[in-house]
Amino acid sequence: MNDFPALRRRSRAARALLWVLLAVTATVNVVSNTVNGGEGTTIGLTAGMVTVACAVALTARHFRAARA
């Protein structure tokens, strides 16, 4: 039995979650750095790392899908 439609739905959900997480963490990073005068806080640094991880994951998914 082919479970391809379910896999595609999960893939779309994962991509949507990555985009939402990217937007939220980028906003948290900007607000944190603005409020604290640009000093590296734990919240700002963590949000920045998660933002970069989301961007890398979305880029990898894009290139993997384009190659397939």
Side-chain angles (χ1 to χ4, degrees):
M1 180 173 175
N2 190 354
D3 199 23
F4 187 68
L7 181 62
R8 182 171 277 188
R9 279 193 300 274
R10 282 183 288 192
S11 179
R12 288 181 184 165
R15 184 175 59 217
L17 179 64
L18 282 171
W19 275 110
V20 169
L21 191 60
L22 178 89
V24 169
T25 56
T27 303
V28 168
N29 190 17
V30 168
V31 169
S32 174
N33 287 327
T34 302
V35 169
N36 294 322
E39 292 182 19
T41 63
T42 304
I43 295 172
L45 291 173
T46 303
M49 288 188 292
V50 173
T51 301
V52 170
C54 288
V56 168
L58 284 166
T59 303
R61 290 174 58 87
H62 171 74
F63 283 116
R64 194 174 327 143
R67 195 178 336 155

